[in-house]
Amino acid sequence: MATLSKPSADQFRNDVYAITRLIPVGRVSSYGSIASSIGAKGAARRVGWVLNGSFSVVPAIPAHRVVNRLGLLTGRVHFPENMPMEELLRAEGVAVEQNRVVNFEELHWDPMVECEIE
DNA sequence: CATCTGACCTAGT
DNA sequence: AACTAGGCCAGAT
């Protein structure tokens, strides 16, 4: 659809979606890493805001694989009640304990480091 | 129209 | 090492 959004914002959203879809199953990423990888370092907040609108997007965006830099499931409250973040992660083999990803350091998938994009 | 908040992070003191 | 402040930008009040 021809959105009235600014081009830069549109591209930002597009990039966030693209990166998020690249997160392998069983791995997790973080807002800051994603923001950094798309050249928007420090704009981690925007990433979360963009992901908030990813629920009605197809193909589905694995937004549940994105947590904050401490491995905390900060965005769990924004997920549908029938599809909790925790549940989705566990279904992919990611252990979650107390709203926190277990072995986050090992499971953390950084787009810039793992794939060396750009 | 002004101000604050928000799925956050980095940098400076 | 702990705390504060600033930045990002769009939506909500």
Side-chain angles (χ1 to χ4, degrees), chain A residues 1-28:
Chain A
M1 300 294 280
T3 62
L4 300 176
S5 308
K6 294 177 183 178
S8 55
D10 238 6
Q11 176 161 359
F12 183 85
R13 185 181 69 165
N14 187 14
D15 289 344
V16 170
Y17 287 164
I19 294 291
T20 306
R21 277 184 295 207
L22 290 177
I23 304 174
V25 177
R27 298 292 281 287
V28 291

Side-chain angles (χ1 to χ4, degrees), chain A residues 11-85:
Chain A
Q11 176 161 359
F12 183 85
R13 185 181 69 165
N14 187 14
D15 289 344
V16 170
Y17 287 164
I19 294 291
T20 306
R21 277 184 295 207
L22 290 177
I23 304 174
V25 177
R27 298 292 281 287
V28 291
S29 193
S30 54
Y31 306 98
S33 300
I34 293 173
S36 243
S37 66
I38 65 178
K41 186 178 180 186
R45 258 180 162 168
R46 270 193 291 168
V47 176
W49 176 81
V50 166
L51 285 175
N52 199 10
S54 68
F55 290 104
S56 50
V57 176
V58 287
I61 308 279
H64 56 276
R65 295 180 196 152
V66 184
V67 296
N68 76 344
R69 82 173 185 77
L70 301 175
L72 296 170
L73 280 58
T74 50
R76 82 185 162 128
V77 294
H78 292 269
F79 275 79
E81 298 174 6
N82 55 326
M83 265 182 149
M85 212 173 170

